[in-house]
Amino acid sequence: RSPRLCTNFSDAMQKLFLAYVVPLGQALGVDGHSASVFVEAEVRASVVFQLSRIMTCWTKYVKKELNAPPWTALYPGKAHGKLIEFDNIAAILNAPHSKEESIIALLRSAEGDEDIPDFVSGIVLAHELPLLSHLGVRARQQGVVFTCSDGAEAYNGIRNGIASSIGSTVELEVSASGQVALKQSSVAAKKTQQASAPVVLSSNMDTSKTNVVPNDQASEAVCGAKASAAAEILTIADKNQQLFKAPPGCVLPFGAMLASAKSSLPEYSKLASDFDAAATSGDVADQLAAKIRSFIQDKWTIPPNVVSSIQGAFDGNVRVMVRSSANCEDLQKISGAGLYDSIANVPIQDAAAVGKAVSRVWQSLWTKRAALSRRAAGMKHEDAAMGILIQQMVAGDLSFIAFSNNPITRDPNQVYVELCVGMGETLASAGQSGTPYRISFDRTTNEVSVLALSSFSSALVPAKEDGAELSAQTIDYSKVPFHTDGDYRKKLVARIGAAVVALEKARGSPQDVEGVISDSNGPEPQVHIVQARPMVLADE
C-alpha cells in the first residue's frame, strides 16, 4: 500500500507540474523538452519518490527471503498458443488475427468483469486481480490458464524475456503456487476447440405474472434462477439461524418486463435478432448494444402501481439492492456472474429512484459484454428476459465471496474465501489496486489458513449523497478487528465456512456464495448470505 501511495502522489505531482510548467516554459521561450525534464527532475528529487525507491528494494528483499513469487495463479495449468500483447480484452476482439488459432495474451490491464474470447487459451496479466473476480471465475469456467503479477516489474521481466517470441507459438505453464514459465514452443498453436452445443434458454419460462412477487415465493420459471436461489436461501437461513441470515425482498418477474415492452416488442426483437450479424468487431458491438439500451430506456416504462408494490414490500425508509435475475445467468452450465447490473443504495421511498434502477437493470441485458457472452454461448438474444430481485441492502463492515470447493487446487474439502472491508463490489472487479484477504477453511478439520492479508487502500461504502450509489473511504486497518485479531479472524472464517457448507448440502452441489458481515466490531458479528449459484468449472 505504501509504494502505491507514493506512486499516486508522484503521478499527481507530475500532472500538477505539467499543467503549469509547460505553459510557463512556452511563454518564456523554453523548449518543451527542457520543461518536461525540469518536471521529471522535481518529481524525482522529492522525498516521496526516494522513499518509494527504498520500499521497492525492501519489498524485493522480503519476497526473496520468503521465497514468494510475484505471480498469483487464477487458473493453473499448461497452454499453447500464439503470443500476442494487448492493452485490454476489448483489444483482443478488435485485433486482426485469425480467430481459428489459439493465442496466449500478454494483457496490460483488465477491468475484472469481461468475457474471455473462446480462442484465448492463456492470459498473463500485468497487475493484481481478485481470484474470485468475475474474470477469474470465467477463466476457470473456460479452462483458460491465467496468472496475474503483483506489478509492472514482474510483468515487464517476463515480457522482455520472451519479447522475441511475440507473434510465435509459445507454451505458458502456471503452477498453483504461482510459478510461471513462458517459453517458445515447437507445438503448433492448436485450433480453438469446437464450440459446445448452444445454450437453449428454458422453454418453460412463465410470463403470465406481471405483478411483484414476494421473494420467498419466487420460482425460476417466473423470476429467474437468482431470485429462485434467493428464495431457497431464505428457507435455508431459517433452518440455520445460528449460522447466517438472508435479506428480505421481492421480485419483479419476467412478465413485468415483457408487459412494459409489449408495444415495442416487434422492433426490439428485430434489433436483438440482428445484433450478431451486425456486430463484426468489439467497437461495433459496443455501438449496437448502446443503441438497444437507449431503445429500452425510451420505450420500456415501469407503471407507477408496480413501483408502489415494490415500495410496499419493505418496512420503513430502507435502502435496497436492485439486482438482475435474468433467464440467462446463474445456470448449471453457465453462471453469467457479473454480466448484468446490480444497483446499490436505492432509497425505497423514492419512487423515481426505484423506477430508474429497474430500467437500468433491464438495460443491462445489452451491455456489450452481456451480448457477446450470449453470442458465445449460442443463446438467442430475443429469448433473453430479465427478472429483477430487490433485496434490503445490508451495509456490512466486511464482504466476501466464497467457493465451497477450492477453485485453484480443486480440493473439495477446502472452502476458499476472499474478503474485503466494505461492500463486495471491490471483490468482483479490478476497480482498484490491491488484493483481498485470501483464506481457506478445511471442512474436515475446521482449520483456517490465511493465505494473504488485504492490501486495498479504500473500501466502498453506501454514499450519503442523494442519487449516489457507493463512495470510497480510506481504510485504517488498525481499526479492523478482522485484520488485527487472529483469533477473531479464525472464528469468523469458520462461521463463513460452516454457512457455505450448509448451503452446499442444502442445494446439492458446490456453491459460489456472496455474503456480508455486519456488526463486525461487536461481540456477535452476523453473517448474511445475499446470493448463491452453482460453481461452474472447466473439466480437468
Side-chain angles (χ1 to χ4, degrees), residues 11 15 23 32 55 90 116 121 160 172 241 337 352 358 373 396 400 424 452 489 500 516-517 520:
D11 289 346
K15 183 177 179 181
M55 286 189 293
I116 302 173
S121 59
N160 294 338
L172 171 65
Q241 295 181 24
V358 168
S373 175
F400 66 87
R489 185 166 55 240
V500 171
V516 177
I517 309 297
S520 68

Side-chain angles (χ1 to χ4, degrees), residues 129-133 394-402 416-429 431-439 452-461 470-471 473 475-477 480-483 488-489 492-493 496 513-518 520:
L129 190 74
L131 272 66
L132 300 187
S133 65
V394 182
D397 309 305
L398 304 166
S399 296
F400 66 87
I401 298 175
Y416 179 83
V417 184
E418 291 196 341
L419 186 146
C420 70
V421 179
M423 302 291 281
E425 282 72 8
T426 299
L427 296 171
S429 71
Q432 66 166 303
S433 300
T435 56
Y437 296 97
R438 291 173 175 155
I439 303 168
L453 294 176
S454 177
S455 66
F456 291 127
S457 295
S458 58
L460 292 176
V461 299
L470 302 174
S471 60
Q473 186 177 86
I475 302 170
D476 181 352
Y477 282 102
V480 179
F482 191 85
H483 196 89
Y488 170 90
R489 185 166 55 240
L492 184 53
V493 171
I496 293 172
V513 180
E514 297 180 24
V516 177
I517 309 297
S518 63
S520 68

Side-chain angles (χ1 to χ4, degrees), residues 102-115:
S102 292
I103 68 166
I104 304 290
L106 294 171
L107 206 59
R108 297 188 187 97
S109 68
E111 295 178 7
D113 58 4
E114 304 95 327
D115 260 10

Side-chain angles (χ1 to χ4, degrees), residues 56 62 79-80 117 121 136 140 215 231 238 250 260 290 303 315 340 343 362 372 377 414 416 422 452 475 490:
T56 298
V62 170
H80 292 85
S121 59
R140 287 184 283 275
N215 192 183
D238 190 52
C250 63
S260 295
D315 297 326
Y340 306 100
I343 314 301
W362 280 343
L372 293 179
Q414 278 190 351
Y416 179 83
I475 302 170
K490 289 181 179 179

Side-chain angles (χ1 to χ4, degrees), residues 41 61 79 106 154 156 241 243 278 288 293 316 326 353 362 373 410 426 510 520-521 530 532:
Y61 173 79
L106 294 171
N156 289 335
Q241 295 181 24
L243 289 180
L288 293 173
R293 289 198 304 275
W362 280 343
S373 175
R410 301 279 185 126
T426 299
S520 68
N521 294 317
V530 297

Side-chain angles (χ1 to χ4, degrees), residues 65-350:
E65 290 299 305
L66 293 174
N67 195 28
W71 297 93
T72 299
L74 275 81
Y75 187 73
K78 186 183 292 186
H80 292 85
K82 181 184 287 187
L83 183 66
I84 308 178
E85 187 170 28
F86 301 95
D87 286 334
N88 50 48
I89 288 181
I92 299 177
L93 291 169
N94 293 330
H97 62 273
S98 170
K99 295 177 176 58
E100 297 299 317
E101 189 175 37
S102 292
I103 68 166
I104 304 290
L106 294 171
L107 206 59
R108 297 188 187 97
S109 68
E111 295 178 7
D113 58 4
E114 304 95 327
D115 260 10
I116 302 173
D118 58 9
F119 51 87
V120 174
S121 59
I123 293 176
V124 179
L125 181 61
H127 58 77
E128 296 168 319
L129 190 74
L131 272 66
L132 300 187
S133 65
H134 297 315
L135 183 58
V137 169
R138 288 175 194 137
R140 287 184 283 275
Q141 290 173 0
Q142 295 174 222
V144 176
V145 177
F146 197 152
T147 184
C148 60
S149 73
D150 64 3
E153 184 174 355
Y155 174 81
N156 289 335
I158 200 166
R159 188 256 183 223
N160 294 338
I162 197 75
S164 62
S165 295
I166 291 179
S168 302
T169 301
V170 299
E171 177 186 275
L172 171 65
E173 186 171 8
V174 177
S175 71
S177 62
Q179 302 297 326
V180 177
L182 190 58
K183 61 186 178 182
Q184 194 157 10
S185 173
S186 58
V187 178
K190 65 178 182 179
K191 290 192 175 183
T192 306
Q193 294 179 351
Q194 283 197 345
S196 55
V199 176
V200 178
L201 297 179
S202 178
S203 59
N204 67 346
M205 184 172 68
D206 181 354
T207 61
S208 62
K209 291 183 170 59
T210 58
N211 295 322
V212 172
V213 176
N215 192 183
D216 59 0
Q217 297 176 23
S219 67
E220 184 172 347
V222 173
C223 302
K226 184 182 293 183
S228 176
E232 281 189 65
I233 293 168
L234 285 168
T235 301
I236 299 167
D238 190 52
K239 297 176 181 177
N240 293 272
Q241 295 181 24
Q242 75 284 5
L243 289 180
F244 67 92
K245 295 181 178 180
C250 63
V251 186
L252 199 59
F254 297 133
M257 185 197 90
L258 294 178
S260 295
K262 186 176 181 179
S263 62
S264 61
L265 205 54
E267 188 178 353
Y268 169 76
S269 296
K270 187 175 189 314
L271 288 170
S273 60
D274 289 349
F275 175 86
D276 285 345
T280 54
S281 72
D283 289 339
V284 174
D286 209 2
Q287 295 167 11
L288 293 173
K291 179 181 177 181
I292 301 176
R293 289 198 304 275
S294 295
F295 178 89
I296 293 172
Q297 183 179 16
D298 294 341
K299 301 289 187 180
W300 300 2
T301 56
I302 176 171
N305 65 304
V306 175
V307 174
S308 297
S309 296
I310 294 172
Q311 292 176 301
F314 297 91
D315 297 326
N317 188 22
V318 300
R319 301 274 169 149
V320 296
M321 294 288 296
V322 181
R323 304 182 187 275
S324 67
S325 182
N327 64 340
C328 40
E329 65 176 326
D330 290 8
L331 306 178
Q332 284 289 346
K333 293 184 178 180
I334 180 169
S335 80
L339 288 178
Y340 306 100
D341 289 351
S342 293
I343 314 301
N345 202 29
V346 179
I348 195 62
Q349 290 188 344
D350 186 338

